[in-house]
Amino acid sequence: MSSVFIIEDEHQIRELATRALADAGHVVWSESTAMAGLQGVIENAPDVVVLDLGLPDLDGSELLRMLRAVSDVPVIIATARDDESEIIRLLDAGADEYVVKPYSGSQLEARIRALLRRTEAAGSANTLEIGGVKIDLRGRVAELDGQRIDLNRKEFDLLTFLVARAGEVVSRSEIYAEVWRQPYGGGDKTIDVHLSWLRRKLGETAAEPRYLHTVRGVGVKIVDPR
Ligand code: CA
């Protein structure tokens, strides 16, 4: 059994989705505005959020951005805009799945089940470690020598990706594809900036690397410095 938070302003859709999900054994909460929804998600910490994009007080994509600043809860966007580029943009912005309206209750429930399976599979390997770096994947917390490191979302994803591939040189385009889910435009400094932040948080510099080693013209790898 899992808990689902529906943010949807159309009464009928909200009722239909709530009933279908409750019948399938989920605990369901709902709100009809973005701001009440945001507060509800923070207070209830649901397993999944279903987010309508057309809300009366705020565009759903804006709410997604706000949600992502405070929570890693899996989000399914519900959209009547069957616009591929818009859907891709939202998946890049942190949505995990989408349904196109009008959707049926069983379709929504199937998406939720699939999403929870993926989330659980990702959480089944609970920790990753290299040297003094320990990553709790479920709690999205990283430690260095027993001290918690304060990482933003992308730094955490980047560190996790590198540690999962420890000892291997990973190219910038792979990092872009896997962590940013975007094609790499050469010359872009995003990765370098994040790497340098990560270095600082791991207590090292590019000149005196311990964990993070840049291989010029190829990519970067993380190693156990001990
Ligand atoms: Ca709506």
Side-chain angles (χ1 to χ4, degrees), residues 118-171:
R118 289 211 306 266
T119 313
E120 276 157 24
S124 63
N126 277 329
T127 54
L128 286 175
E129 269 185 84
I130 184 166
V133 174
K134 190 169 175 184
I135 302 173
D136 169 3
L137 294 170
R138 206 177 266 273
R140 290 186 64 88
V141 176
E143 287 181 356
L144 173 65
D145 302 328
Q147 299 282 329
R148 186 173 168 156
I149 329 172
D150 182 26
L151 300 173
N152 69 31
R153 185 178 164 82
K154 281 299 176 207
E155 287 163 359
F156 182 88
D157 291 345
L158 177 58
L159 181 63
T160 300
F161 179 64
L162 292 172
V163 174
R165 304 268 301 264
E168 254 181 80
V169 181
V170 186
S171 71

Side-chain angles (χ1 to χ4, degrees), residues 2-3 16 47 57 60 63 82 84 93 105 126 133 140 150 157 160 165 169 189 208 211 225:
S2 58
S3 54
L16 174 145
D47 296 317
D57 52 337
L63 178 59
D82 190 3
E84 198 185 3
N126 277 329
V133 174
R140 290 186 64 88
D150 182 26
D157 291 345
T160 300
R165 304 268 301 264
V169 181
K189 292 286 174 218
E208 283 182 61
Y211 287 95

Side-chain angles (χ1 to χ4, degrees), residues 34-210:
M35 293 323 288
L38 179 63
Q39 195 181 347
V41 170
I42 292 168
E43 281 168 7
N44 296 290
D47 296 317
V48 181
V49 172
V50 180
L51 172 61
D52 172 30
L53 290 183
L55 292 167
D57 52 337
L58 200 65
D59 193 71
S61 61
E62 185 65 14
L63 178 59
L64 175 64
R65 199 181 56 75
M66 294 166 74
L67 257 179
R68 275 293 165 251
V70 295
S71 167
D72 288 310
V73 63
V75 174
I76 300 181
I77 46 175
T79 175
R81 312 167 198 168
D82 190 3
D83 173 348
E84 198 185 3
S85 62
E86 170 75 357
I87 289 169
I88 290 171
R89 195 180 64 74
L90 289 162
L91 292 173
D92 283 340
D96 297 274
E97 186 52 273
Y98 71 95
V99 281
V100 176
K101 288 180 175 180
Y103 55 77
S104 68
S106 53
Q107 190 189 0
L108 178 64
E109 211 275 319
R111 292 283 164 112
I112 288 174
R113 248 185 299 126
L115 182 55
L116 288 171
R117 263 201 311 274
R118 289 211 306 266
T119 313
E120 276 157 24
S124 63
N126 277 329
T127 54
L128 286 175
E129 269 185 84
I130 184 166
V133 174
K134 190 169 175 184
I135 302 173
D136 169 3
L137 294 170
R138 206 177 266 273
R140 290 186 64 88
V141 176
E143 287 181 356
L144 173 65
D145 302 328
Q147 299 282 329
R148 186 173 168 156
I149 329 172
D150 182 26
L151 300 173
N152 69 31
R153 185 178 164 82
K154 281 299 176 207
E155 287 163 359
F156 182 88
D157 291 345
L158 177 58
L159 181 63
T160 300
F161 179 64
L162 292 172
V163 174
R165 304 268 301 264
E168 254 181 80
V169 181
V170 186
S171 71
R172 284 178 164 66
S173 55
E174 278 177 273
I175 295 174
Y176 250 100
E178 294 296 326
V179 180
W180 273 268
R181 302 211 176 138
Q182 281 172 24
Y184 176 53
D188 189 316
K189 292 286 174 218
T190 307
I191 291 175
D192 299 286
V193 169
H194 280 79
L195 280 174
S196 89
W197 288 341
L198 207 48
R199 276 206 172 93
R200 197 180 323 149
K201 290 176 182 181
L202 293 173
E204 62 183 58
T205 62
E208 283 182 61
R210 294 177 64 233

Side-chain angles (χ1 to χ4, degrees), residues 7-10 13 32 52-56 78 80 101:
I7 307 173
E8 166 65 64
D9 64 321
E10 279 167 71
I13 297 176
S32 57
D52 172 30
L53 290 183
L55 292 167
K101 288 180 175 180

